[in-house]
Amino acid sequence: MSFYRSLQQMRTHNQKGVALLIDPDKMRDESHVKSLSELIRHTEISAVFIGGSLIVSNHFQQCATWAKKHIEKPIVIFPGSPDQITDQADAILLLSLISGRNPELLIGNHVQAAPRLAKSKLEIISTGYMLIDCGKSTTASYISQTFPIPYNKPEIAAVTAMAGEMIGMKCMYLDGGSGAEMPVSSTMIKAVRQSVQTPLIVGGGIRHEDQVREAFAAGADLVVVGTAVEENPEMLFALSGASGSL
Ligand code: 1GP
């Protein structure tokens, strides 16, 4: 089944999913990815996202190859730049940063990436990507040179998502940014949920299973976790387990 189809199923049947975000900079070598794959095998996670708004180590391709080799889950590129394209993945979230007004992140990078995407076998999922101010300035916000949507302005997120859906985006992603101090609020998730029909992905600053459940209860279909698992890989069990215990 395509990854988008599984997102649609989650949305339609109120099934919830958790995705693990792998930052290639944090993967030391193949054995590191392999040991993570052992943990993943014992969880119910829906997908592994790979990418980042700033990758210093320059081993995105290598890391994707290791992920594809060892991890038996859909591998989805969450690209921080047009360099992050590889056939060693199943799908790519073609992100348009609709919370910002940086033309490169609305169309420029897409133009650069289009010829390579056309030649790739990747499933392309047009995604309205919104950065939300969740307590501290994040790498994503700094690198993108955009202002995030204020934390307590759910109505801005709702109308932004609405516009994204009208333009034709197939999926929405509310992101507090990696390592955010707190997750996107339930109020904002609810407001976006009520404004669009698309599947809704939520991430950034989610560290506890209660926060996963809150995001699901507010209307998220897929919750993304990264930092909490980087800091303590065993957390993957609790975080991914929350999808089955609503
Ligand atoms: C960031 O949504 C992801 O883009 C994950 O964030 O690392 O804070 O879990 P965390």
Side-chain angles (χ1 to χ4, degrees):
M1 193 192 320
S2 76
F3 181 64
Y4 186 64
R5 183 89 193 91
S6 62
L7 280 178
Q8 279 181 314
Q9 271 203 0
M10 287 176 199
R11 165 95 184 94
T12 316
H13 301 293
N14 204 28
Q15 297 158 346
K16 306 295 182 177
V18 172
L20 172 66
L21 174 64
I22 293 182
D23 176 349
D25 275 349
K26 306 281 168 49
M27 293 294 112
R28 291 183 300 276
D29 50 25
E30 184 168 0
S31 66
H32 190 176
V33 176
K34 197 164 177 230
S35 64
L36 196 56
S37 75
E38 303 296 338
L39 280 184
I40 290 170
R41 189 166 298 134
H42 299 289
T43 69
E44 294 298 315
I45 72 160
S46 305
V48 167
F49 284 8
I50 182 165
S53 38
L54 177 68
I55 298 183
V56 182
S57 63
N58 199 26
H59 74 176
F60 169 79
Q61 295 279 345
Q62 181 72 83
C63 188
T65 306
W66 296 332
K68 189 73 193 143
K69 182 171 163 195
H70 296 293
I71 300 172
E72 295 155 357
K73 300 282 179 185
I75 308 291
V76 180
I77 303 171
F78 173 55
S81 79
D83 299 336
Q84 295 172 28
I85 297 173
T86 172
D87 269 332
Q88 299 296 320
D90 301 294
I92 183 167
L93 299 181
L94 187 62
L95 304 175
S96 294
L97 185 58
I98 56 177
S99 59
R101 299 296 179 266
N102 178 341
E104 292 307 312
L105 303 179
L106 286 163
I107 184 64
N109 284 355
H110 312 63
V111 172
Q112 284 188 45
R116 288 176 63 199
L117 288 174
K119 280 191 204 127
S120 80
K121 299 185 193 76
L122 292 166
E123 178 195 351
I124 297 167
I125 302 168
S126 169
T127 302
Y129 184 51
M130 283 165 275
L131 286 173
I132 314 301
D133 186 340
C134 285
K136 70 175 188 189
S137 167
T138 61
T139 306
S141 185
Y142 178 77
I143 293 290
S144 68
Q145 293 286 293
T146 64
F147 294 118
I149 294 176
Y151 181 82
N152 57 358
K153 297 286 180 190
E155 65 280 11
I156 297 181
V159 293
T160 303
M162 230 186 249
E165 186 177 46
M166 286 172 186
I167 289 170
M169 289 158 192
K170 297 198 298 183
C171 176
M172 297 296 147
Y173 191 149
L174 288 172
D175 196 350
S178 197
E181 244 161 44
M182 56 195 172
V184 175
S185 73
S186 292
T187 313
M188 185 176 281
I189 298 171
K190 267 185 209 152
V192 171
R193 176 70 291 152
Q194 286 164 7
S195 306
V196 295
Q197 296 301 315
T198 66
L200 177 58
I201 304 174
V202 177
I206 295 178
R207 295 175 163 274
H208 304 291
E209 48 199 295
D210 288 355
Q211 295 169 325
V212 178
R213 282 196 206 97
E214 268 175 43
F216 286 149
D221 300 301
L222 185 73
V223 162
V224 184
V225 295
T227 306
V229 178
E230 272 164 22
E231 290 173 0
N232 176 10
E234 300 285 321
M235 273 305 289
L236 190 57
F237 293 108
L239 294 170
S240 65
S243 61
S245 56
L246 276 179

Coordinates of all heavy atoms in Angstrom, one line a residue, residues 73 76 95 110 164 186 206-207 221-222 237 244:
K73 N 10.0 -1.0 7.6 CA 8.9 0.0 7.7 C 9.0 0.9 6.5 O 10.1 1.1 5.9 CB 8.9 0.8 8.9 CG 8.9 0.0 10.2 CD 7.5 -0.4 10.6 CE 7.5 -1.3 11.9 NZ 6.1 -1.8 12.2
V76 N 10.4 7.3 4.7 CA 9.8 8.5 4.1 C 10.8 9.6 4.3 O 11.2 9.9 5.4 CB 8.4 8.8 4.8 CG1 7.8 10.1 4.2 CG2 7.5 7.7 4.7
L95 N 7.6 19.1 0.9 CA 7.1 20.1 1.8 C 7.1 21.5 1.2 O 8.1 21.9 0.6 CB 8.1 20.2 3.0 CG 8.4 18.9 3.8 CD1 9.5 19.2 4.8 CD2 7.1 18.4 4.5
H110 N 11.5 23.3 -5.0 CA 10.7 22.3 -5.7 C 11.1 22.3 -7.2 O 11.2 21.2 -7.8 CB 9.3 22.6 -5.5 CG 8.9 22.9 -4.1 ND1 9.4 23.9 -3.4 CD2 8.1 22.2 -3.2 CE1 8.9 23.9 -2.2 NE2 8.1 22.9 -2.0
G164 N -3.7 25.9 2.1 CA -2.9 24.8 1.5 C -3.7 23.7 0.9 O -3.4 23.3 -0.2
S186 N -3.2 21.3 21.7 CA -4.4 20.6 21.3 C -5.3 21.5 20.6 O -6.0 21.2 19.7 CB -5.1 20.0 22.5 OG -4.3 19.0 23.1
I206 N 7.5 16.3 21.3 CA 6.7 15.3 21.9 C 7.6 14.3 22.6 O 8.4 13.6 21.9 CB 5.7 14.6 20.9 CG1 4.8 15.7 20.4 CG2 5.0 13.4 21.5 CD1 3.8 15.3 19.3
R207 N 7.5 14.2 23.9 CA 8.4 13.4 24.7 C 7.8 12.3 25.5 O 8.5 11.4 26.1 CB 9.2 14.3 25.7 CG 10.1 15.3 24.9 CD 10.8 16.2 25.9 NE 11.9 16.9 25.2 CZ 13.1 16.3 25.1 NH1 13.4 15.2 25.7 NH2 14.0 16.9 24.4
D221 N -3.4 12.5 12.9 CA -3.5 11.1 12.4 C -2.1 10.4 12.6 O -2.1 9.3 13.0 CB -3.8 11.1 10.9 CG -5.2 11.8 10.6 OD1 -6.2 11.3 11.2 OD2 -5.2 12.8 9.9
L222 N -1.1 11.2 12.4 CA 0.3 10.6 12.6 C 1.1 11.6 13.5 O 1.1 12.8 13.2 CB 0.9 10.5 11.2 CG 2.3 9.8 11.2 CD1 2.2 8.3 11.4 CD2 3.0 10.0 9.8
F237 N 9.2 2.4 22.7 CA 8.1 1.5 23.0 C 6.9 2.2 23.6 O 5.8 2.0 23.2 CB 8.6 0.5 24.1 CG 9.6 -0.5 23.5 CD1 11.0 -0.3 23.9 CD2 9.3 -1.4 22.6 CE1 11.9 -1.2 23.3 CE2 10.2 -2.3 22.0 CZ 11.6 -2.1 22.4
G244 N -2.1 2.6 20.1 CA -3.0 1.6 20.3 C -3.9 1.7 21.5 O -4.7 0.8 21.8

